[in-house]
């Protein structure tokens, strides 16, 4: 069975600084997708970034980038130049290719401090 | 393009009652998944519907059931409510198949269910 682990329940970072959120997963599948979702207090889940397992290149979206280590089954999220609006719960999610069943981690609550 | 919508926003029920939650998919999407998110936890997969048929189910009892309609909107029904059913229920829609969006789902704002 697939599992997703986020070992940092809470983190804080000063505005404009960089923070890295950790995620590890376990699977025997070879083709899958990994996601980072942001859930602000308004609670709507917003996709931050997506990584296809078959791609060696790490995904980037503006200030957000990932460090995908397939052999280590690690998928961390780096947020550069943190902004107050980045304050939210961040969830790491796994999905086997061809399905839409997401397996989520327990989340990391990120607070950006002014 | 209209995003995923859910109704109602909040709901309060008592133990033993039944509840129906509704979800309208994003335009062009034929797959709907439902998730339960308990307070302080990540969402847990309940089940998924593809073209009106159940297409995968998580570890939830049969009193959790669903429907998908020809317009791809969906309902989640929960019978014999228990206190532990109190949670945020999220609906997510997707295009289905191996499309260019790579298994991406679009989430609705959720329905907060409180069982007393």
């Amino acid at each position: 069975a697939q599992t997703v682990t986020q070992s940092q329940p809470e983190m804080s970072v000063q505005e404009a600084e960089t923070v890295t959120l950790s995620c590890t997963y376990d699977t025997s599948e070879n083709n899958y997708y990994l996601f980072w979702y942001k859930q602000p207090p308004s609670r709507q889940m917003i996709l931050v970034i997506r990584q296809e397992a078959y791609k060696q290149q790490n995904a980037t979206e503006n200030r957000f980038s990932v460090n995908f280590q397939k052999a280590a089954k690690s998928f961390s999220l780096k947020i550069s130049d943190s902004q107050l609006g980045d304050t939210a719960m961040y969830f790491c999610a796994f999905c086997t290719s061809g399905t839409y069943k997401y397996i989520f981690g327990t989340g990391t609550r990120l607070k950006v401090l002014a | 393009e209209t995003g995923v919508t859910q109704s109602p926003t909040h709901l309060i029920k008592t133990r033993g009652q039944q509840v129906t939650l509704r979800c309208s998919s994003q335009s062009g999407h034929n797959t709907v998944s439902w998730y339960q998110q308990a307070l302080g936890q990540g969402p847990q997969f309940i089940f998924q519907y593809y073209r009106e048929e159940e297409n995968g189910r998580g570890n939830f009892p049969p009193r959790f059931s669903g429907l998908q309609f020809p317009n791809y909107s969906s309902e989640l029904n929960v019978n014999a409510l228990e206190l532990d059913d109190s949670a945020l229920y999220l609906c997510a829609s997707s295009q289905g198949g191996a499309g260019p969006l790579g298994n991406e789902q679009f989430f609705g704002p959720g329905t907060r269910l409180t069982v007393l």
Side-chain angles (χ1 to χ4, degrees), chain A residues 7-81:
Chain A
S7 58
Q8 304 153 315
E10 291 189 7
M11 294 190 73
S12 61
V13 62
Q14 289 295 134
E15 198 175 8
E17 293 190 346
T18 295
V19 64
T20 298
L21 309 184
S22 300
C23 173
T24 58
Y25 60 95
D26 189 24
T27 183
S28 58
E29 301 284 342
N30 195 46
N31 297 317
Y32 52 88
Y33 296 86
L34 294 161
F35 305 87
W36 279 97
Y37 276 87
K38 169 184 177 181
Q39 189 176 41
S42 66
R43 78 188 182 213
Q44 185 136 18
M45 285 275 199
I46 303 165
L47 179 67
V48 174
I49 199 164
R50 178 181 76 233
Q51 175 79 42
E52 292 89 339
Y54 64 86
K55 289 187 177 179
Q56 292 186 338
Q57 187 173 7
N58 289 325
T60 62
E61 287 287 342
N62 301 313
R63 299 183 295 109
F64 299 89
S65 61
V66 299
N67 183 5
F68 173 49
Q69 301 288 328
K70 190 172 183 180
K73 296 179 181 174
S74 171
F75 182 61
S76 60
L77 173 69
K78 186 172 83 171
I79 306 174
S80 304
D81 186 24

Side-chain angles (χ1 to χ4, degrees), chain B residues 50-98:
Chain B
Y50 171 65
R51 293 184 175 177
E52 303 177 60
E53 298 284 332
E54 189 178 291
N55 182 38
R57 189 178 183 92
N59 189 27
F60 281 81
R63 58 189 186 84
F64 286 78
S65 62
L67 282 173
Q68 188 181 30
F69 300 99
N71 66 355
Y72 302 131
S73 65
S74 177
E75 286 182 356
L76 164 65
N77 299 291
V78 187
N79 293 323
L81 284 167
E82 300 176 0
L83 298 179
D84 285 348
D85 295 335
S86 293
L88 180 68
Y89 288 85
L90 297 169
C91 163
S93 75
S94 46
Q95 284 186 340

Side-chain angles (χ1 to χ4, degrees), chain B residues 32-53:
Chain B
V32 172
S33 300
W34 285 91
Y35 294 82
Q36 180 195 67
Q37 186 179 13
L39 197 62
Q41 299 295 316
Q44 299 287 316
F45 176 76
I46 302 174
F47 46 55
Q48 178 182 101
Y49 280 81
Y50 171 65
R51 293 184 175 177
E52 303 177 60
E53 298 284 332

Side-chain angles (χ1 to χ4, degrees), chain B residues 13-17 19 63 78-82 85 113 115:
Chain B
K13 292 285 188 179
T14 56
R15 197 170 42 182
Q17 285 189 311
V19 69
R63 58 189 186 84
V78 187
N79 293 323
L81 284 167
E82 300 176 0
D85 295 335
L113 172 65
V115 182

